[in-house]
Amino acid sequence: MDLGRAFLDNFSFIATLYIANYGLALICAVREIMNSRTSQGTIAWLLSLALLPFPTTFIYLIFGWKLFDDYAETQTHSGRGWRPARSQELRIVDQGTGSDWPTLTNVAELPFLFGNAANLLIDGEETFASIFDGIARAKDYILVQFYIIRDDSLGQRFADALVARAQAGVKVYVLYDDAGSYRLPERYKQRLRAAGIDIFSFNHRHPFLRFYGPARINYRNHRKVVVVDGKEAWIGGHNVGNEYLGLDPKFGRWRDTHVHVRGPAALACALVFMEDWHWATGAELPLHFPRDIPTPGNEPILVMPTGPADTLEDCSIAFSEVISRARKRLWIVSPYFVPGIEIQTALFAAAMRGVEVRILLPEKADHMLVWLASYSHADQMGAHGIKVYRYGGGFLHQKVILCDDEIAGVGTVNFDYRSFNINFEVTLWFTGPDMIRNIAAMLETDFEESLLTTEQNLRQRNFFFRLACQGARLLSPIL
C-alpha cells in the first residue's frame, strides 16, 4: 500500500524520467544509424535501445558513442597532409617500397622513409635502459605517450629522468590514457608540473569522455611513443610499470618487444604525437624540425597510426593486406587474439594456399574473459591447419607480425576487435633485410620456448572449459 501511494505521489517525476530515457534512447539510435559501420552491430544496438532503453542508453554512452569526429580536422591542422610533400622535398621517401605496399601507405597517410637505423629491444630492462639513455641525450624536447604510467619504482625512475631533463631546459610533453592510467595519483602529475613538464590525459579537453573516467573503456589511446629531439623514437608493447620489468610475482618474466629507431621515421612518430596532443589539449606544439634530416642507417620504415577517427577500418585493412600477401610464412604474436571475421577469413585463406601460419599466444592470463575468448578463436584456427603455440616462458605481451621475408610489423596493435577498430594504435612496418632477419631470429627463440597446440590437446578440452570459451567469444566485439 505504501509503495503504491509512493508511486502515485511521484508519478509525474517517474513519468518524466521514463520519457527522458526514451528520448535519450532515440538520440542514441539516430546517432548509431548515422555512424554505423556494421549492420550487425547497429541492429543489436537498435533492438536493445528499443526494448530495454534503461540501462542500454547509459551502456551506449560508455561503449558506443563515438566522439572523434573532429580528429580528422586535427590531423590536417597538425600537418599530416603536407608531410608527404615535405618528405619528398627532403628526398627521404622510399618510392620503391611505397610502390610495393600502397595499401599501407594509404592507410598511414605517410610514406615509407629510408635512411633509418632500427634496433629491436627485447623485454623491459633493455627497453627502458635504451629509453633512459635517449632521454639523457635530449637537448631540445622529449615527447612521451603511454597507455599506462604507474607510480611505482619504474614510474619514479621515469619521472626522475624527465624532471632532470626539464630542469636542464629541455621541453617535456607527456600524454597518458585516462582509462589505462586511472590509478596514476595526482601527486605524480603535480611533481612533473612543478618541474615545468606539460602533462595531460588524452581526454583532457573533452569533458564527456573524462566524466566516465575508467568506465569509458572504448576509444582508448593505446599508443606507446617516446620521441627525443625528432631524431630518435621508441615504439612497442611496454608501458611504464614494474610488471613490464618482470617484477610482478604473478606473471614473472614479462616477454615484450620495443623498437628504437633513429632517422627520418622519428619525425613521423613526432607527428603522431603532435596530432594526439592537439586533440587532447587544443594547443599546437612549438616544435622545430630540422631541414637536414640525418639518415644514420638503411632501413625503410613506415609509421602507421590508426584509430577510431579513421574513415574506414584502416587497421583491419592494413593487416588483412599483409596477411593476403603471405606466400611462405606468416607469424603472428599477440597477447590477445580475438580477431574479427575479416581477419579470420584472411588467415584461413593463407593456410589454404599453403602458407605456414603460426600464431603465438600467452599461456598465462591477465584478463580472464579475453583469455577465454582467445582460446576459442585459437582452437578454431588449430582445428583448420593453423599452428597455434602457447608461450610458457612468462607472460607474452609483444605485438609482432612477420610475412615471408618481405615485411614485418612491431607496435601496439593486438589481434582483437578493440585494437583494429576502437583504439588509437601505432605500428612500425619494416621491409629491410636486417630487421626482417632480426625479427625472425627473435621469434624463432620465442617459438622454442612455447608448446604447439595439438589435436590431442583440442580433444582433451573439457566441456565446461569449452563452454566458458564459447560464452566469452560472444563478447568479442567489446573485449
Side-chain angles (χ1 to χ4, degrees):
M1 193 69 157
D2 291 340
L3 288 175
R5 185 178 295 110
F7 177 79
L8 292 174
D9 290 343
N10 295 280
F11 177 77
S12 297
F13 177 70
I14 295 171
T16 301
L17 286 180
Y18 189 79
I19 294 170
N21 189 243
Y22 261 103
L24 182 57
L26 179 61
I27 293 171
C28 292
V30 171
R31 186 174 179 88
E32 177 61 26
I33 292 171
M34 296 303 295
N35 293 278
S36 171
R37 287 195 177 185
T38 65
S39 57
Q40 301 95 319
T42 296
I43 290 171
W45 277 120
L46 294 180
L47 287 174
S48 299
L49 287 166
L51 300 176
L52 197 64
F54 181 83
T56 304
T57 50
F58 301 100
I59 295 173
Y60 184 84
L61 291 176
I62 295 173
F63 288 97
W65 194 290
K66 182 181 174 184
L67 287 175
F68 295 97
D69 300 329
D70 58 343
Y71 196 90
E73 180 183 345
T74 293
Q75 291 173 326
T76 301
H77 187 75
S78 298
R80 185 186 290 191
W82 52 259
R83 180 62 59 182
R86 171 72 172 138
S87 301
Q88 189 71 36
E89 289 175 14
L90 297 169
R91 298 178 181 175
I92 56 175
V93 175
D94 191 318
Q95 299 283 12
T97 304
S99 298
D100 290 340
W101 297 95
T103 300
L104 299 190
T105 57
N106 281 320
V107 165
E109 298 182 40
L110 290 164
F112 271 92
L113 303 174
F114 69 75
N116 301 281
N119 297 313
L120 277 177
L121 303 171
I122 298 174
D123 292 340
E125 289 290 349
E126 189 174 0
T127 294
F128 284 102
S130 178
I131 290 175
F132 287 148
D133 285 346
I135 289 173
R137 288 191 295 271
K139 292 180 172 55
D140 188 9
Y141 61 85
I142 302 169
L143 312 178
V144 174
Q145 180 175 26
F146 282 99
Y147 175 61
I148 295 172
I149 300 177
R150 299 200 191 282
D151 184 22
D152 54 19
S153 60
L154 178 60
Q156 286 298 324
R157 287 170 54 201
F158 195 71
D160 291 344
L162 296 178
V163 167
R165 295 317 295 152
Q167 291 175 340
V170 175
K171 288 299 297 179
V172 181
Y173 304 91
V174 179
L175 271 182
Y176 62 90
D177 183 78
D178 303 72
S181 300
Y182 76 95
R183 291 181 178 176
L184 186 65
E186 191 62 28
R187 66 176 181 274
Y188 188 98
K189 300 172 229 177
Q190 288 297 341
R191 181 193 172 198
L192 296 186
R193 292 186 184 116
I197 295 171
D198 292 326
I199 176 170
F200 293 99
S201 71
F202 183 60
N203 294 328
H204 171 74
R205 195 166 57 100
H206 304 273
F208 181 82
L209 295 176
R210 288 169 56 203
F211 173 75
Y212 284 98
R216 181 74 188 188
I217 64 172
N218 277 1
Y219 310 126
R220 305 169 181 173
N221 196 310
H222 194 240
R223 294 170 182 158
K224 297 97 175 171
V225 180
V226 177
V227 181
V228 169
D229 295 339
K231 298 178 180 178
E232 51 187 329
W234 292 259
I235 283 177
H238 293 89
N239 288 293
V240 181
N242 283 344
E243 66 267 39
Y244 294 88
L245 296 178
L247 300 178
D248 189 322
K250 176 182 176 182
F251 296 107
R253 182 191 177 194
W254 191 279
R255 176 67 191 91
D256 219 328
T257 299
H258 236 72
V259 180
H260 174 209
V261 300
R262 293 178 293 118
L267 281 180
C269 296
L271 175 63
V272 174
F273 182 92
M274 289 172 64
E275 292 168 357
D276 285 350
W277 184 267
H278 187 214
W279 192 86
T281 68
E284 294 183 61
L285 287 179
L287 304 183
H288 303 288
F289 296 140
R291 291 201 61 84
D292 296 322
I293 300 175
T295 53
N298 57 7
E299 288 286 347
I301 298 178
L302 175 69
V303 180
M304 188 183 78
T306 53
D310 299 337
T311 305
L312 300 174
E313 306 291 355
D314 282 351
C315 192
S316 292
I317 290 171
F319 279 84
S320 296
E321 165 72 2
V322 172
I323 293 169
S324 72
R325 297 273 292 269
R327 292 296 176 265
K328 296 179 181 179
R329 68 176 176 186
L330 178 69
W331 295 353
I332 295 168
V333 188
S334 177
Y336 315 114
F337 185 74
V338 191
I341 188 64
E342 71 286 350
I343 297 296
Q344 296 178 50
T345 301
L347 290 172
F348 287 134
M352 288 178 180
R353 64 176 176 269
V355 177
E356 181 205 32
V357 181
R358 297 187 189 180
I359 299 172
L360 180 56
L361 306 173
E363 178 60 34
K364 292 184 177 181
D366 67 334
H367 299 293
M368 185 55 67
L369 277 177
V370 181
W371 184 75
L372 289 170
S374 176
Y375 254 100
S376 173
H377 285 282
D379 285 356
Q380 182 185 25
M381 297 284 161
H384 291 84
I386 293 174
K387 296 179 180 179
V388 177
Y389 292 78
R390 294 281 173 179
Y391 185 77
F395 180 71
L396 183 79
H397 191 254
Q398 62 176 321
K399 303 95 165 49
V400 180
I401 181 171
L402 174 65
C403 174
D404 297 334
D405 292 319
E406 302 301 319
I407 194 166
V410 180
T412 67
V413 175
N414 298 312
F415 257 70
D416 60 12
Y417 180 86
R418 182 171 298 283
S419 277
F420 284 153
N421 298 276
I422 56 179
N423 277 354
F424 290 86
E425 308 281 3
V426 62
T427 304
L428 299 179
W429 293 100
F430 305 93
T431 59
D434 291 341
M435 277 298 283
I436 296 288
R437 189 163 45 249
N438 292 340
I439 289 171
M442 175 186 72
L443 296 185
E444 286 280 13
T445 300
D446 291 331
F447 283 121
E448 290 172 2
E449 298 180 10
S450 307
L451 291 176
L452 175 65
T453 301
T454 64
E455 291 185 15
Q456 183 178 2
N457 296 141
L458 297 177
R459 288 195 299 268
Q460 289 176 343
R461 305 266 196 255
N462 69 61
F463 171 78
F464 292 104
F465 180 76
R466 287 186 285 113
L467 180 63
C469 292
Q470 288 300 111
R473 182 173 180 157
L474 297 177
L475 301 174
S476 292
I478 63 171
L479 291 178

